[in-house]
Amino acid sequence: MHGTWNRTDTAELGRRLQRAHGEVWLHQVKGDPYADVLRGHAEDPRPAEERIRALGPLWRSTTGAWVTADHRLAGELLGAGWPHRPLDDDEAHVPVHDAGLGGDAAHYERLRGYARDAVTPAAVQAVAERVVGALGADFDLVTDLAEAVPTDLLAAALAPDGTDRRELARACTAAGVVLDGLLCPQRLDATRRAAAAVGRLRELLAGPEAGPGAGPGSGPHETAVLLATAGVRTAATLIAGSVLAVVDRPEEWSRVAGDPGHAALVVAEVLRHDPPVRIQPAVALADAEFAGQHVRAGERVVVLVAAANRDPEAFDEPDRFVTGRPAEALLPALHHRVTLPFARAQAEAVLRTLVAAGPRPRRSAGHLRSRRSPVTGHLLGCPLTTG
C-alpha cells in the first residue's frame, strides 16, 4: 500500500536507521571491505572494491550479503536467467514500493515503453538547449545543469499541465536519496524528507489534467514516479560525469566538436569508468550455485557494477578513460531498464549542446560529494567557469 512510510513512527524509524548504520560501521571497523563500500564515506571506493575482487569471484561479506566484482559473474547476475527480486521495504532503508523500485523485469519492460513514447529525442534536445543556453560564464555543474535538465524534462514530458515546476524539482531532489538508501541508511531527517517527497511526487504526477490512462497506479503514472524518484538522480549523475569527462580531457571535447556523434562514445565510457549506479542488490528466490558457492533462497546477492566494469580480465587498462572500447560496459537491470535510457539520452544531448555552444568550461573550485552515497556517488556541487 502506498504511503505507509509517511505513517511510520519517527522514533521507531530513527532507531532502525541508527541500528542499521551502527551495524555497517561495526563490520567496517572489523575489516569488511563491503561494509567499507556501503558506508559511502570514501571519496574513491575503488581500493575497497579491489579488496573484494581479490577475495574471489563471489565472496560472502560478514554483513551476510554475497558480493561480486567479477565481470563475467556480474553479467550473469544482472541478467534474467536466475530467480531473484529487488529489495523490499523491510530490507531497505527507504520506501521501495512507493518509489517504484519494487517491480520485476516484466513490469519495467512495460514502463520502458511508456517512457520511450513520452520522452522523445526532440523533447530531450529542446530541454538541453534551453538549459545550456541559460548558463552564465560561471555556473555550478550540478544545480545549474545536471539536475536542471532532468527535472525540466520530467516537467515538460510527464507532469500534468500546471504542475508547479519548482515544487516538482524540490521533491525530486529530496527523493533522490532513495537509490543510496536501498543499501546505506540515511540520516533520519533525510529519510523522512525522502518519504514525504515520494508521496508528494505521486500526487503531483497524477493531477487532474494528467490525461486518459495516466491516473494513479497506471503505467504512465508509475513511469513518471519512477523517473522522478530514481531517474532524475541517475540522469544528473550521468550528465555530471559526462560533462567532467570532456572538461577534464580537452581531446574528448575536440572530438565531440568535430563529430557530435562522438558524444555517445563518451557517455558509453562514462557508464563503464564512472557509472551513475555503482551497485545493484537482489534477493535470491531459490537456491542457486554461482562460482562454486551455494546461495540460499532469501540471501542477498550484490553486484558491484562499477568494480565489474574495471575488471582487468575484461578490459585492458581498466582505469584509463578510453572511448570506443570493443567491450561494452555492464549495466544494472530491473528499474534501471527505464531510468538509464532516460539518463543516457540527456547526457548525450547535453554534451552535444554544451560543446556546440563553447568555449570549454574549466573547474573553478573543488567539487563536493555527498556522504552516504555508495550507489550513486552523488555530487552536491562542482563550480565551472568559461571566463
Side-chain angles (χ1 to χ4, degrees), residues 13-359:
L13 177 59
R15 286 191 291 270
R16 284 169 48 191
L17 293 170
Q18 187 176 42
R19 182 168 57 250
H21 182 71
E23 289 173 354
V24 173
W25 176 84
L26 185 60
H27 287 295
Q28 188 264 334
V29 167
K30 291 182 176 180
D32 189 302
Y34 176 58
D36 195 4
V37 170
L38 282 189
R39 290 194 72 203
H41 280 221
E43 171 69 20
D44 185 359
R46 286 178 294 179
E49 292 170 347
E50 290 307 313
R51 287 169 58 200
I52 293 169
R53 188 192 315 283
L55 292 169
L58 187 64
W59 164 74
R60 190 168 189 180
S61 160
T62 59
T63 65
W66 292 96
V67 189
T68 186
D70 181 84
H71 184 272
R72 185 201 61 77
L73 180 57
E76 182 179 353
L77 293 171
L78 292 172
W82 68 289
H84 63 283
R85 61 168 175 80
L87 303 187
D88 63 25
D89 285 341
D90 293 332
E91 296 161 331
H93 311 291
V94 287
V96 173
H97 290 281
D98 286 5
L101 306 180
D104 60 16
H107 171 70
Y108 293 119
E109 196 62 34
R110 289 192 296 272
L111 297 195
R112 183 164 68 167
Y114 289 116
R116 184 175 55 245
D117 292 343
V119 185
T120 65
V124 174
Q125 187 63 38
V127 169
E129 290 176 358
R130 183 167 64 250
V131 174
V132 170
L135 295 174
D138 299 294
F139 63 95
D140 186 85
L141 170 61
V142 179
T143 57
D144 296 330
L145 179 58
E147 291 180 346
V149 170
T151 52
D152 279 14
L153 181 61
L154 183 72
L158 287 160
D161 293 341
T163 299
D164 185 326
R165 294 196 174 197
R166 290 186 179 181
E167 183 182 7
L168 181 67
R170 287 193 299 269
C172 288
T173 298
V177 302
V178 297
L179 287 176
D180 289 299
L182 287 172
L183 291 169
C184 178
Q186 305 295 299
R187 296 186 183 279
L188 176 60
D189 57 346
T191 303
R192 293 292 294 178
R193 284 197 302 269
V198 168
R200 183 60 181 142
L201 285 168
R202 286 195 162 273
E203 296 170 353
L204 287 171
L205 295 169
E209 300 176 22
S218 69
H221 178 246
E222 291 302 310
T223 303
V225 168
L226 175 61
L227 293 179
T229 59
V232 166
R233 175 60 58 86
T234 302
T237 304
L238 184 58
I239 290 169
S242 300
V243 170
L244 289 177
V246 297
V247 165
D248 294 340
R249 300 173 180 84
E251 70 280 6
E252 295 296 344
W253 178 280
S254 298
R255 287 169 183 160
V256 176
D259 174 16
H262 188 73
L265 296 181
V266 173
V267 174
E269 179 64 351
V270 172
L271 285 167
R272 185 200 70 84
H273 187 268
D274 190 24
V277 178
R278 302 184 63 86
I279 310 173
Q280 179 168 318
V283 177
L285 289 174
D287 289 4
E289 294 282 340
F290 298 108
Q293 302 285 3
H294 183 68
V295 177
R296 297 185 181 279
E299 291 185 327
R300 188 175 300 190
V301 181
V302 177
V303 174
L304 301 181
V305 179
N309 280 327
R310 290 174 182 262
D311 189 338
E313 295 297 320
F315 298 97
D316 293 332
E317 298 182 276
D319 289 330
R320 283 188 60 214
F321 189 95
V322 180
T323 52
R325 286 181 179 271
E328 293 187 359
L330 293 173
L331 300 178
L334 294 174
H335 56 269
H336 303 295
R337 295 169 183 260
V338 185
T339 59
L340 276 175
F342 175 75
R344 194 169 192 165
Q346 292 172 73
E348 292 177 9
V350 166
L351 280 192
R352 292 192 302 266
T353 306
L354 189 67
V355 171

